[in-house]
Amino acid sequence: MTADPTTSPPSGVDPNTPSIARVYDYYLGGKDNFAADRELAEQVLLVAPNARATARANRNFLVRATEAVAMAGIRQFVDLGTGIPTSPNVHEVAQQIKPCAHVAYIDNDPIVLCHARALLAGTRPGVIAMEGDVRAPEQVLDHPRLRAHIDFAQPVAIFLVAMLHLLTDEDRPEQLVKTISERMAPGSYLVLSHLWDDPDGVGRAGADAYARRKASSPVVPRTTEQIQRFFDGFELVEPGLVFLDQWRPIEDMINAGADDRLCLCAVGRKP
Ligand SMILES: C[S@@+](CC[C@H](N)C(=O)[O-])C[C@H]1O[C@@H](n2cnc3c(N)ncnc32)[C@H](O)[C@@H]1O
């Protein structure tokens, strides 16, 4: 928050440790960040000047992908690593196309949960927000609250958008995606974006800034091949694994020459 110094942060929130969710909020022009978050973001912007544009391109990808899977008939959405609520969010886009859509927002940052609950509390039919750590996928996906909301016997869209690059190789992200995909019924979709390990080393330089400032989680860019492997067992829908702005761009983006190259993204369908 361009935080009010007269109020203390919500319980469990450490304003001195840069939080991935709050740094991302800063890139997106939000107000839910502290000085430590802004300082880290500014360090990243020195080595990756496009970070703000990438954050916006990532949100826009998430919106276009939500529209695409809702149009393809999906009525259940599980957004893992959801971030501080930003409009339009998954439920706004999905429920415009499928008013009966059920959406579950899951994140492990207390500030995300605090905002999500305040925003959604009892007012949004079909939407829940829960605490959960993607590194314990069974615990998250088998949680009774999620199970009461999402029927995994039916197709579901799982979002891991700008999320897996927050897990180290020791967290075994490939295995984790496999565990999640085993819960998904045929006809389900995986929506994913990921920081790219680019040949110029921009992604790595940004990741180093997060490490130096001891952010709430590390940032790990990965190669095209590594990101592609998350989709093992899925059929990529058109246009496949591409840069954020290349995924089904709308006319305005093409006219504006949008061409962000820091993150790769794709949508896969489970056959
Ligand atoms: C960069 S933000 C992306 C938000 C949103 N998915 C988007 O693309 O706009 C990453 C989010 O993942 C959350 N996160 C990081 N590690 C997590 C974990 N192990 N389990 C659940 N959420 C996590 C962070 O708190 C943050 O809100």
Side-chain angles (χ1 to χ4, degrees), residues 21 24 58-59 81-83 107-109 132-135 161-163:
Y24 185 64
N58 183 61
R59 284 307 300 179
T82 183
D107 204 286
N108 70 346
D109 187 323
D133 194 315
V134 171
R135 288 168 295 186
V161 178
M163 161 72 240

Side-chain angles (χ1 to χ4, degrees), residues 202-224:
V202 176
R204 260 171 285 145
D208 288 346
Y210 281 83
R212 273 197 309 278
R213 291 278 174 147
K214 299 191 172 19
S216 57
S217 58
V219 173
V220 185
R222 292 191 168 89
T223 62
T224 308

Side-chain angles (χ1 to χ4, degrees), residues 83-100:
I84 292 168
T86 304
S87 195
N89 221 326
V90 173
H91 72 278
E92 294 168 302
V93 179
Q95 290 184 340
Q96 209 158 23
I97 296 165
K98 302 269 177 206
C100 60

Side-chain angles (χ1 to χ4, degrees), residues 2-265:
T2 306
D4 176 357
T6 59
T7 57
S8 43
S11 130
V13 173
D14 172 5
N16 300 313
T17 299
S19 136
I20 297 289
R22 297 187 316 243
V23 172
Y24 185 64
D25 174 74
Y26 178 71
Y27 294 144
L28 289 172
K31 297 271 180 282
D32 299 308
N33 46 74
F34 295 104
D37 308 309
R38 296 189 283 277
E39 280 161 21
L40 167 52
E42 292 298 340
Q43 293 288 312
V44 174
L45 286 164
L46 290 178
V47 291
N50 275 352
R52 266 203 187 96
T54 302
R56 280 196 298 272
N58 183 61
R59 284 307 300 179
N60 292 337
F61 159 69
L62 179 141
V63 167
R64 298 195 303 282
T66 304
E67 282 169 354
V69 296
M71 296 292 280
I74 293 292
R75 284 172 302 183
Q76 308 190 95
F77 301 78
V78 178
D79 187 5
L80 296 170
T82 183
I84 292 168
T86 304
S87 195
N89 221 326
V90 173
H91 72 278
E92 294 168 302
V93 179
Q95 290 184 340
Q96 209 158 23
I97 296 165
K98 302 269 177 206
C100 60
H102 274 202
V103 179
Y105 291 117
I106 297 170
D107 204 286
N108 70 346
D109 187 323
I111 212 153
V112 171
L113 270 295
C114 182
H115 283 282
R117 287 191 181 123
L119 183 77
L120 303 170
T123 58
R124 310 275 173 167
V127 186
I128 62 167
M130 291 177 27
E131 186 166 1
D133 194 315
V134 171
R135 288 168 295 186
E138 287 102 344
Q139 225 167 305
V140 172
L141 297 182
D142 295 340
H143 193 287
R145 187 144 179 253
L146 186 64
R147 288 280 161 170
H149 195 67
I150 300 287
D151 177 3
F152 282 91
Q154 299 300 319
V156 60
I158 301 275
F159 289 69
L160 285 165
V161 178
M163 161 72 240
L164 290 178
H165 55 233
L166 305 174
L167 303 184
T168 63
D169 291 347
E170 289 70 44
D171 291 324
R172 305 181 65 214
E174 263 182 61
Q175 180 55 43
L176 195 146
V177 175
K178 191 163 179 287
T179 303
I180 294 171
S181 77
E182 283 164 4
R183 297 288 201 285
M184 296 163 70
S188 293
Y189 287 87
L190 175 65
V191 178
L192 191 152
S193 65
H194 197 294
L195 182 63
W196 186 43
D197 191 359
D198 59 286
D200 296 331
V202 176
R204 260 171 285 145
D208 288 346
Y210 281 83
R212 273 197 309 278
R213 291 278 174 147
K214 299 191 172 19
S216 57
S217 58
V219 173
V220 185
R222 292 191 168 89
T223 62
T224 308
E225 294 69 30
Q226 287 172 316
I227 299 169
Q228 175 86 46
R229 277 207 295 276
F230 291 130
F231 287 97
D232 280 357
F234 290 88
E235 292 164 350
L236 293 191
V237 306
E238 285 298 319
L241 182 66
V242 291
F243 294 113
L244 292 167
D245 287 329
Q246 296 173 342
W247 201 90
R248 304 191 184 183
I250 57 171
E251 206 176 323
D252 283 357
M253 293 167 61
I254 297 167
N255 292 342
D259 189 21
D260 193 85
R261 299 206 165 215
L262 274 185
C263 279
L264 286 167
C265 67

